[in-house]
Amino acid sequence: MTRPLVVGNWKMNLDYVEAVHLTQQIGVILKNKPLEHVELVVVPPFVDLRSVTSVVESERIAVGVGAQHASRHEAGAHTGEVSVSMLQRLNVAWVLVGHSERRAMYAMTDVVVAQTLRTVLGQGLNGVLCVGEELSIREAGRQDDFVTAQLHDALEGLDETSRPLVTIAYEPIWAIGSGLTATTEQVREMTEHIRTVASSLSLGQVRVLYGGSVNAENAASLMTEGRVDGFLVGGASLKAESFLTISQAANDCYDGKR
Ligand code: 13P
């Protein structure tokens, strides 16, 4: 089992003052109870990044910092966009790519997802590729084909240096923010499927995360029975206690399985 990764996607929540506060709370809890095995990443809104990375560095908090999106372009006339090199300059080491909210609400097509992922990885940042089906596709039993296509579109032909920087997050759209978590069986089947497809695309060692209404109560069973390598957490990452309880569950499961 690979070292677990727990990523907190704050979405469009918390201004920079609130973001600093949450980061400090995470730092305090981690100092009292360090997580031996889990890698933690917080993903604040763009405008919070500078403040959050400063606090993480000055207070030596054991979390990585990520961005929720990045431009696929390197620089230039792209009003409203943020480039990967700007993120890199802030010591942002992670970028979410193709979150379903960006795909659905901001017209992020599979082609744009693939281009963005290449820009992110090409500059040496870690990319968390988000995939997952909507409810109608699940009800029609077509989720495997759908996710296969998303993976092929994004990952085909990645070069050798880029591949180790990829993490895949399976986030069924119907489970996001709905309180409706996928069953551990659904998660296990899909993570196994994703590993098979990833391996056919030469990404044998890739970490597969689950996201969608993960909370302090369901994290342990999703980890052990769902056989994921960690989580992409939305709502429950906005409170230090719940985020770290989820992370602790991932840590304990890893400990038990070694
Ligand atoms: P929730 O945990 O709020 O369902 O959000 C999941 C998600 O979209 C994380 O990226």
Side-chain angles (χ1 to χ4, degrees):
M1 191 188 177
T2 16
R3 197 174 163 222
L5 170 68
V6 179
V7 182
N9 176 10
W10 296 354
K11 306 194 180 184
M12 199 173 72
N13 297 292
L14 310 182
D15 64 28
Y16 84 94
V17 177
E18 296 164 329
V20 165
H21 189 60
L22 176 56
T23 308
Q24 286 172 324
Q25 287 180 320
I26 292 172
V28 169
I29 299 179
L30 282 179
K31 273 186 188 126
N32 290 330
K33 206 170 177 203
L35 293 168
E36 213 186 331
H37 310 296
V38 175
E39 195 173 354
L40 283 187
V41 176
V42 294
V43 186
F46 284 132
V47 293
D48 300 347
L49 286 171
R50 177 81 177 114
S51 315
V52 170
T53 52
S54 297
V55 173
V56 165
E57 282 157 31
S58 65
E59 300 187 14
R60 297 174 202 274
I61 302 171
V63 296
V65 180
Q68 297 173 17
H69 175 64
S71 174
R72 66 191 197 273
H73 303 289
E74 282 180 15
H78 299 284
T79 304
E81 291 287 282
V82 172
S83 75
V84 173
S85 57
M86 292 170 184
L87 296 172
Q88 197 172 33
R89 191 95 167 86
L90 293 175
N91 290 337
V92 167
W94 296 81
V95 183
L96 304 185
V97 180
H99 190 281
S100 60
E101 287 152 19
R102 296 224 57 92
R103 292 181 191 253
M105 294 186 255
Y106 302 96
M108 198 173 185
T109 61
D110 286 327
V111 172
V112 176
V113 170
Q115 290 170 340
T116 307
L117 188 65
R118 274 155 185 74
T119 307
V120 168
L121 306 177
Q123 303 216 29
L125 276 75
N126 298 285
V128 180
L129 172 69
C130 304
V131 297
E133 78 288 351
E134 55 188 59
L135 189 59
S136 59
I137 293 174
R138 166 71 58 176
E139 284 173 346
R142 292 194 295 111
Q143 65 275 6
D144 286 3
D145 291 346
F146 183 83
V147 169
T148 303
Q150 284 186 322
L151 293 171
H152 273 266
D153 285 342
L155 299 173
E156 221 151 48
L158 280 187
D159 60 38
E160 243 170 82
T161 45
S162 296
R163 283 183 220 136
L165 298 170
V166 176
T167 297
I168 298 170
Y170 170 56
E171 295 206 308
I173 295 170
W174 45 273
I176 295 178
S178 62
L180 200 73
T181 321
T183 64
T184 52
E185 194 172 24
Q186 287 171 327
V187 173
R188 192 184 62 244
E189 279 169 11
M190 184 55 88
T191 46
E192 274 168 13
H193 175 68
I194 289 173
R195 287 199 179 95
T196 307
V197 177
S199 158
S200 76
L201 294 164
S202 309
L203 281 106
Q205 298 301 316
V206 73
R207 280 196 283 207
V208 182
L209 313 182
Y210 168 76
S213 300
V214 176
N215 57 41
E217 285 73 46
N218 59 26
S221 62
L222 283 166
M223 194 78 193
T224 47
E225 294 158 38
R227 305 219 188 111
V228 290
D229 300 309
F231 301 112
L232 179 52
V233 188
S237 71
L238 296 172
K239 295 264 182 292
E241 294 76 19
S242 47
F243 184 54
L244 290 171
T245 305
I246 292 167
S247 308
Q248 187 69 52
N251 195 73
D252 297 346
C253 294
Y254 181 81
D255 232 359
K257 275 192 186 168
R258 279 187 310 158

